[in-house]
Every structure is written in C-alpha cells, then in structure tokens.
Amino acid sequence: MKNNQFAIMPVSHEQKVRELTEIGFLNNSTIITDATELWLSFLHRAILTNPAPAGWNQFCHNTLATEIYTLEEFIARGLQINESVFKLVSLQLLEFEDETDFQVTDPIQAWDTIQLPAVNITNNSNSIIDAWYDLLCTHTKNGVQYLDLLTSQGFFVSTYSKSIDSRPRFFNGKALAVYDESKLIREVVYVETDIDTDNDHHADLVKVEVMRPVETNNGFKAPAVYTASPYNQGTNDNWGEQRTHNVHTKLHHKSSETHSSEPVFSEDFEYQITKGITKQTEETYTHQASYTLNNYLAVRGFAIVYSAGIGTKDSDGFQTCGSPEQTDATVAVIEWLAGKRQAFTNRTDGIAVTAWWCNQKVAMTGRSYLGTLATAAATTGTPALKTIISEAAISNWYDYYRENGLVMAPGGFPGEDADVLAAETFSRTKNVGDYSKVKQSFSDYLDSMTTSMDRNSGDYNEFWQRRNYRSNIKNITADIMMVHGLNDWNVKVNQVKSLWDELQKLPVAHKIVLHQGQHIYINAFRSIDFTDIVNLWLTNKLWDVHNGANEIIPDVIVQDNVAPETWRSFDNWSTNNPIKWQLLPHTLSKNSTSANEQQSFNDQLDEDTFRRFDQHPEQWQSELLTSKNGYSLLFKTAPVKDELILRGTPQLTLSVASSKNYGMISAQLVDFGEAKRFNISPTVLDRNGIELGHLWQKDDLREFQLASKSSPYKVISYGHINMQNRTSSDKVDDLNANELVNLTFNLQPLFHHLITGHQLGLVVFSTDFGMTIRANDDLKYTISLDTSFLKIPSFQRI
C-alpha cells in the first residue's frame, strides 16, 4: 500500500515535548536520558489491552526487533535502538504485516516504499522523542493515525473524569477524542424560521437534533458541526417513482424564450408567542441517519447538529428543492446556534430554548443534497458559519437537471427532476395526521413546480435562477473545503469547478480534494488522511487553534487514476498551458492544418437496437465507443509518447447542421487504451474496521483497487447542447434545416492522467441514453471539420 498524509503539522522539538507530556508519554518528574530506555518506556505506555507485566512480556515476545531477535531478546541482550529497530517495531505497531507489506530484512526500504513520514533516529533521547511524536501522527495500515488507534483501545479513558479545564485537547493541531461517548447528550429543539411555505399563517418550525458533550452542561462551549439533510427523517420513494418523467419525448423547434415563475409564498404570517425561556429541552432521540465523519467529530468535542428542514417529518412547510426558502430554513438553524434566533422545546407551548452550550461557531458538512445546502448557506454570508466541507455538492440546480437548453438527467436517474426530488423528500407524509392538513396544497405546489421548471423547453428561467447559488458567491465569507469525484455523473464535476473558479476572486481560504470515485464519501479511505485533514481544518476554523491549516493542506489534492493509492498536490486546478486539437477525418491533430471536409451521422436507430439501448444504456455506451456505427463520429489522437495530465474544462467548437430546424449535440472525451483501470466503486477492505473512538461508532475501511480484467477505454468527460441555445441557456437562437451553425460549449472538467501509448478520443453524437431524452428521431447531423476543434486549458508532462 501507499500512505498519503497531508495533515501533519510541523512542530518544534519543544512543542513535541510539551504535547507528549500533556497526553502522558513524558513525565516532568521522571526524565529518561537513555535513548533505548526512553523508547521502551513509550512502548510500555502504548500497551493498553493488557498493561499488566504479563501483557508487556507477551508484547515483547510477539514483536520482532531485528531480523534475528524478538523485542524480548533485544532487551535481554542489552541492545541499543537504531533506525532499523525503530522502524521494524513501528511497522508492527502500525499493523503492517511481514512478507505482505514489508520484509524484516529491510524495514527502512519498506518505510520509504509505503511512504511513511520520515523519522531520524540517533542514540539520543531527543531524537526518540521526535520520532515517537511523529509515529503517533503516522497512519496505520488500517486507515487511522497511530494515536487514534491507541485512542480506540482506551488511551484517553482516564481523562474522562478530569475537570472540563482539561478539555478540549489537541495533538499536532488536531482535536483528540477525550469526551465520554457514553454520556453524549441527545436532544431536540424546533427552530423558528422567517418563512411560511405551507401558507398556514404561522412561521415554519424545523426540527433540529443535537448531540453534544455532557461537559457543555458545566460550562464548556462546543463548536457546532451542522448537517442539513432533507433525507434525515425518511423519504417517499414510491412518490418519486410515480412522478418520474417520461424521457421518450421528441426534441422540437423553439420559437422564442419561455418565461415562468413559481408561486410566491405568503408573507402574511405570525411568529409563535414566547411564553417562557429554559435551558432544559424536553425531547430526545435514539437513532438518526448519521454521517460517520460527524460521528468521528462527536467524541472530539464538536456538537453535532442535524436538521431535515422544511417539508420534512416533524417540521412545517413544503419541500421546495433548492429554493431560497430552503436556504433560509437552513440558515435559521445556524442563526439559532449563534444565539441570533429562537427555538422552542416543542411545537406548541412557546417555551424558548437557546443554544447556550455553543461557542457560536458553526461548520457544515455533508454530501450531495447535504453539501448543496451547505453551499447555499455559505452564499448568504451568515456570520456564524465559519466553514463548510461540501462533498459532491450542487452549486447551480440548472446544471443538475438541465444543460445548455436541454433537459438533462443526473447520471443513472433518467426522468428525475426538481419536482420528483421534492416529492421524494417530503417526509411530512410520515405523520399521517399532519400530512392530511397539507395534502392538497402540497400537491398543488408540486404541479406548479412541474410547470415552472419547464421540461418543455429546457431553458434557463426564473425558477432556475432562484436555485443558482453561484449568483451569490460574492457573499461568501466562510472558508470552503470541497470534495468531488472526477467520475461523478450524478452531481457533475462542473458544479464544483465553477465554484472553485469563482472562489479564486474572494479573500477566503479554499481547498479541494478530487478523487476517482463517483457519488461517494471518502472519509474512510485507507490511502489518504482525509479525516485528519478535516480535523486540522475544523480545529483551526472553530477553535481558532493556530495550526497552520491554510498553509499545510494543499490547495488541490488529486487522486491519480492510474497508480493505486497515489494522491498528488497542486497549486491550482488549471494552468495556463492550453492545447488545441483540430478535427480531421477520424483524427484529433495538434497540426493546425484544417480539413475542408464534412462528415455526417444519423441519430435514428432501427427499432430493435433502439429498444435494446433504451433498456440497457450500458450496452449503448459500449457500442458507441467500440463498434463502427452510423449514429456517431469518432476522432482520435495518435498514441501519446509522453505521460500527460489533462487539466481543466475542455471546450468543443463545432460547425454543425441538422436536417431539421432543431437538434442537439452530445460529445464524450475518451481515454482509449487497454489497461486495468479502477473498479467503479471502492472495495471494502475491512467491514467496520475503523474505530471512530473508544467503544464508539465504526466505519468501513475502503480503497479503490484495479479491476481484475483490462478494459479498452474510459469516458473522462462529456457535454451536451441544444443547437438553439448556442448563445446561452436562456436565449433561443433560430435554426433552419441544413444550416451550418457554430456551437461552442464546455465539456465536464477533468483532471486525468493519460499514459504513454493511449489515445485521447472525441466522439460526437446526439442522443445520450444515459442523460438526455430519447426520441429516435430521424435527424441527420453534418459537421464541417475545418472550423471544428477541441481545446483543453492545460496539460503537463509527468
């Protein structure tokens, strides 16, 4: 395996001494000057499962210190510590295995091959102190730093009973799990918003679930990590299936722009009358759909907050799918945590309760819709929100359900749309009595949403403008950490790249981690210290610990798509090193010589083929790239002679005509070349293999692994455009049959390692069975090659 750690804070020897003393590895009253004796004392302190003499003896008997001697024999012979001994024993402490991960004959080479942090061992006690400190920060084979492994074995249990003045504790700039998981307080409040989306003339209340350390009852002020999850209280999967739209519809000629808006919610409502104030909540909870990263943080002194928001079980209002009202409800919870808004102990009695236990600093976490609402909240500039960690987040809902004037499905979800998602997440249905009061009005709202979102034209309109968070990026004051899969065809990569580009203009810290997954979490990956990165980041943002998080964490971290367990750091996503490929017959060429030639394809398939592709889009994808056909055009580069990294947002310019007065063009960028590529999903290496604390929650250890068989290609980018939206998505351009027009549109951003001998391919077609509507229309498309080309903003040789 390869270890990639980006969150180790460089500290002085003096600080290492201080921190090791604080956690009990050093003792001010007992100073050991002999290097070997000091090292053995550290080892003895780390034996936690059986600290009695018999346990120590068994450990020494089971541990190899040299190629020849066990630690037991090493001690008996009075041998001295050296680099080889330290690393051999440390490899075993870090759970690496002989003959699998290292050879006992050369632990130093194994240390370097695995990419463990450098240590410098001399026969000097100071070097042992430094090395042991660094070892505690080093990741084990099973995905946690060594100190966290000791924590899971009970290293800090003795501190639970100490005064709250001893907490929080930090080591190497990161919060430690020194809070008793068995005493976490779970409580429920109802936060009052400034909206009335169900038009009942009362301000909507939203249910909020809080999990906080018991120490907060005695004066400790905890920062809050808040996840807004519309799925938290359940979903209506049947509703989603029933409302899913038919994708077997024809494209048509658009004569003009369409204008639509959604209903305006009433502003004629009342706030609840406050009849008293208390610190004591009434309601608790036992289970929730939690995020394992939050569970990791919960025993490290962070209060964890969940809210499903408006239109969900035990809350008021309607589900509005990304509207400003949903953002307002999300922000209301932040304002309550900051002491700027009231909440109540229940929905009816008017007894207010404040977040008196919070230090008024808030972060938001979550993936997909959860990360989307974090992004939305950040664009309001609400002061208490200090940072967000948004994973696979939407920054513009138009780009999620539409693209360049076309109705566009998230990958894998044909027929889904904003109204479908609103229906699926309207969990007020779970309370039948409550639902009966709003059943008809919510149904009417869904119907109006269906009209307003306009599947007929696919154009950008007011409905989508209200759900475009990028319009308000200038308001962001929170520091931003983004995580996204380079193979995410659900929340596509342009969602995060567009946000990243705009953040370059703002005085906020911003980081991005790009992985090779699809729509997944990465906090339990073995090869990267993502959880440590988050800990370092949040400790800095929410506790104001000066740990250098902004400087230590690289701006861009990217998982390589060729070499397993390899992550690289970069200063930016793109560089100013563009490359342009001219379209020639069947060829992509850096030669600027144009080809005065036209090539054509027809989008219509025979009925049997259409039906097969319709039912099995994966067969369409395969045959699109591997068989000669009449429904696409393929252009390839020559096999590349250098290892290349292609970075940024590709842009395709085509001169194209349709045989009718309407049409759509799709394109894919493809890495052609036989190779063993990563599996689509990460492999679970150890079910429940990661301990998130002591006797606390667990997570599955995962990692991307190469497939057992090679494959001939990989799609790395794609894009689509309506030929009548060639100026913009909100402007309809006229189109005549057989008229050549120039289209320039972006494909999905990429960060791709193209290896020697592979070819970059561009395939141009129309119907995308994975994402677009499927009409099987008799449309012929003709491309003029001399004015058609592909640009990628930056590439580099490695």
Side-chain angles (χ1 to χ4, degrees):
M1 67 161 285
K2 293 181 182 177
N3 179 56
N4 300 269
Q5 290 189 248
F6 298 96
I8 295 178
M9 174 186 174
V11 298
S12 66
H13 172 74
E14 290 72 22
Q15 185 169 343
K16 290 179 180 181
V17 170
R18 184 165 55 252
E19 292 186 18
L20 286 172
T21 303
E22 288 173 354
I23 66 172
F25 273 108
L26 289 174
N27 189 328
N28 287 328
S29 61
T30 305
I31 300 175
I32 301 174
T33 57
D34 180 79
T36 302
E37 184 182 351
L38 180 61
W39 174 62
L40 291 173
S41 74
F42 288 156
L43 289 175
H44 207 296
R45 179 68 180 88
I47 306 307
L48 299 169
T49 54
N50 184 1
W56 168 251
N57 293 337
Q58 189 64 38
F59 168 75
C60 293
H61 178 77
N62 291 339
T63 303
L64 201 64
T66 73
E67 181 182 354
I68 301 172
Y69 299 122
T70 65
L71 186 58
E72 181 180 42
E73 295 165 326
F74 176 91
I75 296 171
R77 291 174 177 274
L79 300 178
Q80 298 298 304
I81 184 71
N82 58 37
E83 182 179 357
S84 179
V85 171
F86 182 90
K87 289 184 175 178
L88 179 56
V89 172
S90 295
L91 286 167
Q92 295 164 79
L93 295 175
L94 297 173
E95 303 178 315
F96 293 100
E97 299 178 49
D98 176 28
E99 298 183 356
T100 298
D101 305 302
F102 67 91
Q103 300 293 326
V104 298
T105 55
D106 197 350
I108 295 175
Q109 181 184 18
W111 195 272
D112 295 339
T113 300
I114 300 170
Q115 299 179 168
L116 299 175
V119 293
N120 180 31
I121 302 296
T122 64
N123 195 18
N124 176 285
S125 61
N126 285 343
S127 78
I128 299 301
I129 289 172
D130 290 346
W132 187 259
Y133 180 97
D134 294 341
L135 178 65
L136 291 174
C137 300
T138 299
H139 263 225
T140 72
K141 179 180 179 177
N142 294 312
V144 297
Q145 64 176 359
Y146 182 47
L147 183 56
D148 281 340
L149 174 62
L150 297 180
T151 299
S152 71
Q153 296 171 352
F155 187 83
F156 290 112
V157 169
S158 62
T159 68
Y160 292 174
S161 60
K162 293 185 178 181
S163 70
I164 63 171
D165 294 337
S166 65
R167 291 182 292 277
R169 281 190 178 183
F170 307 100
F171 189 86
N172 196 242
K174 295 174 278 290
L176 294 173
V178 294
Y179 295 85
D180 189 345
E181 64 287 331
S182 68
K183 296 181 179 180
L184 292 173
I185 297 169
R186 291 173 171 83
E187 58 190 357
V188 174
V189 301
Y190 294 86
V191 170
E192 189 173 54
T193 71
D194 292 328
I195 52 177
D196 174 23
T197 54
D198 52 15
N199 295 320
D200 66 351
H201 306 297
H202 297 283
D204 291 343
L205 295 178
V206 293
K207 179 181 181 180
V208 177
E209 297 172 327
V210 175
M211 180 167 59
R212 56 184 173 88
V214 69
E215 287 83 356
T216 53
N217 282 347
N218 299 313
F220 167 58
K221 299 290 187 181
V225 175
Y226 164 38
T227 299
S229 171
Y231 308 113
N232 181 263
Q233 298 293 323
T235 57
N236 301 312
D237 295 342
N238 289 337
W239 276 30
E241 293 176 6
Q242 293 167 9
R243 292 196 71 95
T244 297
H245 298 274
N246 181 17
V247 296
H248 300 107
T249 59
K250 291 185 64 173
L251 204 64
H252 61 275
H253 183 78
K254 295 188 281 192
S255 57
S256 62
E257 294 84 7
T258 58
H259 302 279
S260 63
S261 60
E262 59 186 314
V264 176
F265 296 109
S266 171
E267 296 184 1
D268 181 20
F269 61 87
E270 298 178 350
Y271 295 98
Q272 190 165 158
I273 296 174
T274 302
K275 300 177 182 178
I277 300 176
T278 183
K279 282 188 174 183
Q280 184 63 48
T281 56
E282 297 177 356
E283 186 179 342
T284 187
Y285 65 93
T286 57
H287 175 73
Q288 62 187 185
S290 61
Y291 171 24
T292 54
L293 179 64
N294 290 351
N295 290 337
Y296 164 87
L297 296 168
V299 291
R300 287 163 172 80
F302 299 88
I304 306 302
V305 179
Y306 288 95
S307 179
I310 51 174
T312 62
K313 181 177 178 288
D314 299 331
S315 294
D316 298 330
F318 290 163
Q319 258 294 6
T320 60
C321 193
S323 75
E325 290 79 16
Q326 190 173 41
T327 300
D328 291 347
T330 302
V331 171
V333 177
I334 300 172
E335 293 173 340
W336 173 69
L337 292 167
K340 306 297 183 182
R341 178 173 295 276
Q342 67 181 4
F344 298 97
T345 58
N346 60 50
R347 294 166 55 86
T348 58
D349 292 352
I351 305 301
V353 58
T354 62
W356 50 270
W357 45 263
C358 183
N359 72 354
Q360 301 188 355
K361 294 182 179 181
V362 182
M364 291 189 72
T365 61
R367 173 181 61 89
S368 196
Y369 207 157
L370 292 61
T372 298
L373 293 179
T375 302
T379 61
T380 68
T382 184
L385 184 61
K386 302 305 179 183
T387 186
I388 68 170
I389 301 172
S390 59
E391 304 186 52
I394 296 167
S395 59
N396 179 354
W397 285 87
Y398 181 86
D399 286 350
Y400 187 65
Y401 286 123
R402 304 288 185 270
E403 183 178 357
N404 293 322
L406 293 171
V407 172
M408 192 63 50
F413 299 95
E416 188 188 300
D417 216 317
D419 57 345
V420 177
L421 187 56
E424 285 182 343
T425 52
F426 183 68
S427 57
R428 285 185 72 174
T429 57
K430 308 297 181 183
N431 292 327
V432 179
D434 177 52
Y435 170 54
S436 67
K437 299 174 183 178
V438 296
K439 180 177 181 178
Q440 187 57 53
S441 56
F442 183 65
S443 178
D444 293 341
Y445 174 73
L446 279 182
D447 290 342
S448 68
M449 180 183 283
T450 302
T451 300
S452 300
M453 67 191 192
D454 183 20
R455 286 183 68 90
N456 184 53
S457 76
D459 291 343
Y460 187 86
N461 60 22
E462 182 183 343
F463 177 90
W464 299 111
Q465 173 59 31
R466 298 182 78 238
R467 291 162 172 81
N468 183 359
Y469 308 134
R470 295 176 205 156
S471 300
N472 298 311
I473 288 177
K474 62 183 181 297
N475 298 328
I476 292 177
T477 57
D479 293 336
I480 309 288
M481 181 178 290
M482 296 155 282
V483 183
H484 216 99
L486 290 163
N487 296 292
D488 194 338
W489 290 28
N490 182 345
V491 178
K492 302 177 182 69
V493 187
N494 66 336
Q495 297 281 358
V496 72
K497 180 62 160 58
S498 298
L499 178 59
W500 172 262
D501 289 342
E502 290 300 313
L503 286 173
Q504 310 303 312
K505 308 170 187 176
L506 298 181
V508 298
H510 47 281
K511 310 291 181 180
I512 190 165
V513 181
L514 299 170
H515 59 83
Q516 291 300 322
Q518 296 182 333
H519 202 60
I520 61 171
Y521 284 120
I522 66 164
N523 54 292
F525 272 38
R526 182 174 69 179
S527 61
I528 184 173
D529 61 338
F530 179 72
T531 303
D532 298 344
I533 291 172
V534 169
N535 193 333
L536 189 79
W537 183 259
L538 293 183
T539 297
N540 174 259
K541 308 306 173 187
L542 301 186
W543 265 311
D544 293 330
V545 172
H546 299 297
N547 58 15
N550 289 356
E551 295 74 36
I552 293 169
I553 302 170
D555 289 343
V556 180
I557 301 174
V558 184
Q559 184 182 21
D560 189 77
N561 56 279
V562 174
E565 301 186 306
T566 299
W567 299 76
R568 295 188 176 94
S569 61
F570 298 86
D571 294 333
N572 211 327
W573 193 323
S574 302
T575 62
N576 188 24
N577 187 23
I579 186 169
K580 176 180 176 180
W581 280 284
Q582 179 71 44
L583 271 62
L584 301 176
H586 312 296
T587 302
L588 288 176
S589 174
K590 295 179 187 177
N591 192 327
S592 61
T593 301
S594 62
N596 188 18
E597 184 174 330
Q598 294 183 343
Q599 291 190 335
S600 300
F601 63 93
N602 196 303
D603 193 43
Q604 191 171 55
L605 305 170
D606 64 79
E607 287 299 324
D608 288 343
T609 302
F610 178 80
R611 190 178 304 110
R612 180 165 59 86
F613 286 172
D614 189 47
Q615 296 173 354
H616 303 284
E618 72 283 357
Q619 294 184 15
W620 160 79
Q621 179 65 78
S622 176
E623 293 182 30
L624 176 73
L625 301 179
T626 59
S627 65
K628 293 184 178 180
N629 60 70
Y631 52 87
S632 68
L633 297 175
L634 177 60
F635 307 88
K636 286 184 178 181
T637 66
V640 298
K641 298 180 180 179
D642 299 302
E643 304 263 321
L644 301 177
I645 293 183
L646 307 176
R647 299 164 56 176
T649 303
Q651 188 180 78
L652 181 61
T653 295
L654 297 175
S655 179
V656 59
S658 168
S659 59
K660 298 181 180 179
N661 62 355
Y662 57 88
M664 66 177 177
I665 290 294
S666 302
Q668 291 182 354
L669 277 185
V670 186
D671 174 347
F672 283 104
E674 200 70 28
K676 288 184 178 180
R677 294 178 167 88
F678 289 150
N679 291 317
I680 293 174
S681 300
T683 300
V684 175
L685 303 177
D686 190 0
R687 185 74 63 188
N688 291 323
I690 296 181
E691 299 273 0
L692 302 178
H694 177 60
L695 302 179
W696 179 228
Q697 308 283 357
K698 300 179 179 181
D699 203 356
D700 297 335
L701 180 68
R702 291 170 290 157
E703 190 57 59
F704 273 109
Q705 295 184 334
L706 294 177
S708 58
K709 296 181 180 180
S710 64
S711 58
Y713 66 85
K714 177 178 177 58
V715 178
I716 61 175
S717 182
Y718 48 89
H720 314 81
I721 189 170
N722 191 314
M723 293 178 66
Q724 288 195 258
N725 292 85
R726 53 190 180 272
T727 302
S728 69
S729 57
D730 63 351
K731 183 180 185 302
V732 174
D733 299 304
D734 199 17
L735 182 70
N736 298 316
N738 299 311
E739 174 191 10
L740 278 171
V741 296
N742 290 322
L743 304 177
T744 296
F745 61 104
N746 289 338
L747 308 185
Q748 289 299 317
L750 48 74
F751 211 118
H752 185 76
H753 181 182
L754 189 68
I755 66 174
T756 303
H758 280 212
Q759 295 172 276
L760 180 66
L762 170 70
V763 58
V764 180
F765 55 102
S766 183
T767 297
D768 185 328
F769 281 83
M771 299 182 189
T772 66
I773 59 174
R774 310 168 187 174
N776 205 26
D777 201 355
D778 184 13
L779 279 174
K780 179 181 178 182
Y781 294 92
T782 301
I783 295 178
S784 178
L785 300 184
D786 60 333
T787 50
S788 298
F789 52 88
L790 169 70
K791 283 185 179 179
I792 294 179
S794 59
F795 78 105
Q796 67 183 80
R797 293 177 174 86
I798 60 173

